[in-house]
Amino acid sequence: MIETLKEIWAYRSMIRSLVHKDLRGRYQASVLGFLWTFIVPLCQLAVYSLMFSIIMRGAAVEKFYLYVFVALIPWNFFSACLTGGASSVVAQQSLVNKIYFPREVVPVAYVTSSFVNMLLCEIIVILVSVFSGVPFNVLAYLCLPLVMLVEYIFALGVTMIISAIDVYFRDLEHILGVVAMAWMFVTPIMYDSSIVAGSRWYSLYQLNPMNIIVTAYRDILYAGKVPELTKLAVLLGISIVLLWIGFLVFGRLKRRFSEVM
Amino acid sequence: MSEVVIDVRNVKKMFRVYRDRGNTLKDRILFAGRRKYEEHWVLNGVSFEVKRGEAVGLIGQNGCGKSTTLKMLTKILYPDEGTIEMKGRVSSLIELGAGFHPDLSGRENIYTNASIFGLSRKEIDERLEDIIAFSELEAFIDDPVRTYSSGMYMRLAFAVAINVDADILLIDEILAVGDAAFQAKCFRKLQEIKGRGTTIVIVSHAMSQLELICDRSIWIADGLVRMDGKPRDVHPRYMEWMSRKTQQEEKKEDERENGEVSETDNEGNLKRWGSGEARMTGVKVIGADGTEKTDFSPWDPFTIHIDYTAQKPLEDAVIGLAIYRSDGTLVYGTNTLIDTSSPVTLQTSGTVDLKIDGLSAANGSYSIDLAIHRPDGFNYDFWRDICTIQIADKVQTPGEIALSHQWDIH
């Protein structure tokens, strides 16, 4: 385990260049290039504000576009890990089959690249948040990196496991597409969790890690208040254990990767 | 005795060949426990050691397990039984241009590609100049790689891989990169790397290339080491075995009226082999005065005259020469492909004259190998030790070569 971590550290420049390649290569051939990283979330924002101000006018929450937007960007990151992360090793099979490198590099690079993409979008989120008149609470903002770290570790743990299993069982990608959709609806992104409060599933509902993460983002960037740190700390602990399990599972399964791909 | 850096012990490798390639949930559930597969043992206990600084060629028929062996050395595959120990940083020239992104520039791709070999950013910075210079792509290095020709692409890829500075370099069939000039350059670079003490393992079908660079050849057949020794001893055996095998397979075609060539010397070593589609019917070494000779001074020009016949005109022939010193050292080798970059055409009968302006070698006995082969290394007629010439200078000088020189003292 320690050996693996050391080796991944030795290959950090590979992780860096895979991230670089992904971020730069993604929009390289397009006219607007890297600007798309910002344009896409801005367009999403425009669509949501239009939709919620015209079509679903009855929404009970104030500044509903911001309410949704603040949660949607972190969700997009996790959702990308769930769907794209699962097939990340398979997608890199030409590399995996031809060259030796610690295979963990692939999911780590995928999650990191999606994470960096989210960080760039968060710039827009923060700007919109400030311009929408959300009180700028320094203490709350100081918690933002912690929330992001928790989400990163959680997403990485999940991605390690699913990317390794997907090599042997390709149906997983398709299953996870459905899971991602369902997961989105059990996470309070488009609605307020108070709606579910009366249900008998509510306690189960609250165990959803993404619920805790999305709510923390919303506390900081929508309500301008410090998130619930105890919940985050517990989730951090769980995420670290999950990541550890992820490394173990991946380590077991990686030896036969290039035999089955 | 130098240190063993690659230790392969009794390695076995099995692949499961599934009759029904069901990877879906439905197949897994419906046919759980009765998915039929055959165990295909590719390697049945391969053992060998490689010492630091050695250059070893792995040869064998397609599917014999040599590439699997190389993949296990690279740690892409793991053995089912046995152990493999490697000491030092390993670099592989197995897949050139791995991870190239077509839309990124050559320079950016150098960083990506080199990082896959485990180089840190600092190490890549240090090598960047060398890599670009070696690839000869200075003018295009900031253009997207998709605008490169395939030759340029391979040059860049090879330049990165060869500049990694590994302790152990694993190579799979890559010496077919680019044009003849670039190939020659790659070859010189490999020799330079070897000279620095890097251990090299090459898988290749091009015997002549292996002979130029390897100290040792390991022939793998049916998942076992069939023979392990000097390339000059192993290759003829292998070639003969291969041609016999091809013969058996092609028996139905039965168009070999003249039959293939195969002769052995008194000690049972193969002396001559090939398919016989073209064959040398007579070889003479002729001195400046036009008569057949065997004794020369290092400065005497001489001509190697070959008479040949061919079953039908051949458009893809290469005529090659190798000169060995009596202790087995390759003194010089060349062929028409290296010299002219294109194959030559042979008529149904004709002659070849190769003029040499003196051997410029130290006193001693030199033997000559001649071959007519295809560009891919398939031999029409390979004749080992076809003739021997004696070099004797008026005076005895130290060293391995004889330099044409002149003192000018004032």
Side-chain angles (χ1 to χ4, degrees):
Chain A
M1 185 73 181
I2 301 290
E3 284 299 307
T4 313
L5 290 178
K6 265 190 195 161
E7 216 187 352
I8 296 170
W9 177 246
Y11 273 78
R12 62 193 178 280
S13 77
M14 178 176 178
I15 297 175
R16 193 159 112 173
S17 38
L18 284 180
V19 171
H20 176 87
K21 188 173 86 168
D22 185 43
L23 290 176
R24 254 179 65 68
R26 197 180 294 186
Y27 303 115
Q28 192 75 6
S30 56
V31 179
L32 292 175
F34 201 64
L35 277 178
W36 276 111
T37 311
F38 301 106
I39 296 172
V40 171
L42 275 176
C43 291
Q44 273 185 318
L45 177 66
V47 169
Y48 284 118
S49 39
L50 216 67
M51 189 171 97
F52 291 116
S53 62
I54 299 170
I55 306 170
M56 301 169 69
R57 212 179 309 203
V61 185
E62 204 187 331
K63 290 182 211 149
F64 199 63
Y65 66 94
L66 183 65
Y67 186 87
V68 173
F69 192 49
V70 152
L72 190 68
I73 298 299
W75 170 261
N76 281 349
F77 161 57
F78 182 70
S79 169
C81 293
L82 216 50
T83 53
S87 52
S88 59
V89 176
V90 175
Q92 295 283 12
Q93 57 177 291
S94 60
L95 275 189
V96 174
N97 281 338
K98 300 289 184 182
I99 288 194
Y100 175 78
F101 55 85
R103 273 65 176 98
E104 286 83 357
V105 160
V106 172
V108 169
Y110 187 89
V111 173
T112 308
S113 150
S114 305
F115 185 71
V116 171
N117 200 45
M118 178 189 84
L119 288 184
L120 294 170
C121 297
E122 281 291 315
I123 297 173
I124 305 234
V125 175
I126 290 171
L127 285 178
V128 173
S129 161
V130 170
F131 279 111
S132 302
V134 174
F136 187 88
N137 181 342
V138 181
L139 268 182
Y141 269 88
L142 282 177
C143 297
L144 195 54
L146 172 72
V147 180
M148 288 172 171
L149 180 73
V150 172
E151 189 183 11
Y152 178 82
I153 295 175
F154 179 68
L156 183 58
V158 171
T159 307
M160 293 294 281
I161 298 171
I162 58 179
S163 63
I165 295 176
D166 187 59
V167 174
Y168 299 88
F169 182 60
R170 304 281 168 89
D171 301 54
L172 190 63
E173 308 168 18
H174 309 294
I175 296 170
L176 283 170
V178 181
V179 168
M181 190 181 72
W183 200 331
M184 179 165 172
F185 287 113
V186 299
T187 308
I189 295 165
M190 304 278 195
Y191 60 89
D192 191 82
S193 50
S194 60
I195 294 174
V196 204
S199 160
R200 58 190 158 131
W201 300 105
Y202 189 58
S203 45
L204 195 67
Y205 176 86
Q206 280 183 308
L207 288 178
N208 173 8
M210 284 313 290
N211 188 343
I212 297 168
I213 288 167
V214 160
T215 307
Y217 277 103
R218 195 169 270 156
D219 283 342
I220 298 167
L221 294 164
Y222 176 79
K225 64 178 190 190
V226 175
E228 289 178 80
L229 290 174
T230 40
K231 273 188 185 172
L232 275 174
V234 172
L235 185 56
L236 178 64
I238 293 172
S239 299
I240 290 172
V241 173
L242 183 73
L243 182 59
W244 181 69
I245 295 171
F247 270 103
L248 288 182
V249 171
F250 198 94
R252 278 297 290 272
L253 295 179
K254 70 178 177 182
R255 288 168 68 96
R256 287 190 180 269
F257 275 177
S258 61
E259 281 174 49
V260 290
M261 282 198 295
Chain B
M1 285 296 275
S2 48
E3 181 195 359
V4 172
V5 287
I6 301 176
D7 187 5
V8 176
R9 262 190 213 178
N10 198 26
V11 162
K12 297 184 182 178
K13 181 73 196 170
M14 181 260 288
F15 287 112
R16 290 198 173 100
V17 183
Y18 288 93
R19 293 234 184 90
D20 52 339
R21 283 192 59 83
N23 252 351
T24 60
L25 186 61
K26 192 187 105 193
D27 288 352
R28 293 271 162 116
I29 293 171
L30 288 181
F31 307 117
R34 55 185 182 98
R35 298 188 70 213
K36 285 185 188 133
Y37 61 82
E38 279 167 19
E39 291 189 355
H40 177 53
W41 288 89
V42 181
L43 296 176
N44 302 313
V46 165
S47 303
F48 60 88
E49 289 180 351
V50 180
K51 297 197 177 85
R52 185 180 301 285
E54 255 189 322
V56 175
L58 294 181
I59 58 170
Q61 204 187 1
N62 285 335
C64 73
K66 59 188 189 305
S67 288
T68 303
T69 308
L70 201 68
K71 279 192 171 180
M72 285 197 287
L73 295 181
T74 326
K75 284 199 280 182
I76 292 169
L77 297 175
Y78 292 84
D80 288 313
E81 272 177 50
T83 57
I84 296 179
E85 274 177 52
M86 311 269 287
K87 285 180 196 155
R89 178 189 231 153
V90 179
S91 167
S92 62
L93 274 66
I94 289 182
E95 171 76 332
L96 288 173
F100 271 19
H101 193 299
D103 286 327
L104 298 182
S105 74
R107 191 185 299 273
E108 284 172 295
N109 272 308
I110 290 177
Y111 277 95
T112 314
N113 194 222
S115 72
I116 293 170
F117 288 111
L119 292 190
S120 71
R121 198 165 177 89
K122 200 173 133 243
E123 288 172 312
I124 303 171
D125 285 335
E126 287 165 9
R127 290 165 174 77
L128 192 63
E129 292 293 308
D130 289 343
I131 293 173
I132 297 174
F134 191 85
S135 69
E136 300 168 11
L137 290 169
E138 287 90 347
F140 312 98
I141 201 67
D142 291 310
D143 296 343
V145 164
R146 76 182 132 78
T147 63
Y148 287 16
S149 70
S150 59
M152 290 159 75
Y153 187 93
M154 292 313 276
R155 253 149 63 192
L156 185 65
F158 190 86
V160 176
I162 202 104
N163 277 296
V164 169
D165 288 347
D167 301 309
I168 300 172
L169 187 61
L170 307 172
I171 306 175
D172 191 357
E173 236 24 296
I174 43 83
L175 299 173
V177 180
D179 55 20
F182 192 73
Q183 274 192 33
K185 189 173 170 178
C186 295
F187 229 83
R188 280 199 301 278
K189 182 76 183 177
L190 271 184
Q191 249 142 2
E192 183 195 318
I193 288 175
K194 187 188 161 197
R196 263 189 259 141
T198 306
T199 310
I200 301 177
V201 179
I202 308 181
V203 164
S204 180
H205 289 288
M207 299 296 138
S208 52
Q209 286 182 333
L210 289 182
E211 273 162 39
L212 287 176
I213 207 148
C214 295
D215 317 307
R216 217 175 113 194
S217 279
I218 298 174
W219 169 17
I220 297 177
D222 304 326
L224 292 166
V225 173
R226 170 76 60 99
M227 200 173 166
D228 183 344
K230 284 213 177 80
R232 247 169 100 63
D233 297 328
V234 178
H235 292 183
R237 287 258 155 234
Y238 169 65
M239 302 297 272
E240 196 214 2
W241 182 82
M242 275 299 279
S243 73
R244 242 189 250 147
K245 194 130 180 155
T246 329
Q247 226 183 81
Q248 285 163 8
E249 280 158 15
E250 284 179 356
K251 219 155 205 170
K252 294 158 210 154
E253 295 174 26
D254 204 20
E255 52 168 60
R256 292 162 293 104
E257 289 144 36
N258 286 0
E260 83 298 339
V261 206
S262 178
E263 289 172 19
T264 48
D265 64 14
N266 320 338
E267 287 149 33
N269 285 323
L270 265 189
K271 203 170 148 37
R272 189 175 180 183
W273 61 92
S275 67
E277 280 161 76
R279 52 163 69 210
M280 294 174 263
T281 50
V283 174
K284 279 186 275 192
V285 179
I286 299 168
D289 57 356
T291 59
E292 215 178 323
K293 282 173 72 174
T294 54
D295 295 284
F296 298 95
S297 92
W299 330 110
D300 290 341
F302 61 93
T303 299
I304 299 174
H305 176 86
I306 306 166
D307 293 308
Y308 70 84
T309 59
Q311 292 173 9
K312 55 178 195 290
L314 296 168
E315 288 180 351
D316 59 348
V318 179
I319 300 164
L321 157 94
I323 301 177
Y324 287 89
R325 203 163 62 193
S326 50
D327 65 356
T329 307
L330 176 62
V331 178
Y332 185 72
T334 188
N335 65 40
T336 52
L337 192 63
I338 295 174
D339 291 339
T340 66
S341 310
S342 60
V344 295
T345 304
L346 297 184
Q347 306 306 322
T348 47
S349 77
T351 61
V352 177
D353 280 311
L354 173 63
K355 293 190 173 68
I356 295 172
D357 300 333
L359 193 57
S360 308
N363 293 354
S365 167
Y366 295 86
S367 66
I368 295 172
D369 291 5
L370 287 170
I372 304 176
H373 58 88
R374 273 202 315 235
D376 62 7
F378 176 85
N379 283 307
Y380 295 129
D381 188 6
F382 193 113
W383 204 338
R384 185 174 156 183
D385 294 340
I386 205 164
C387 53
T388 304
I389 57 174
Q390 305 295 334
I391 296 293
D393 201 357
K394 294 184 286 281
V395 289
Q396 179 82 32
T397 50
E400 303 196 346
I401 62 166
L403 277 182
S404 171
H405 60 275
Q406 201 175 340
W407 298 102
D408 208 0
I409 300 164
H410 299 282

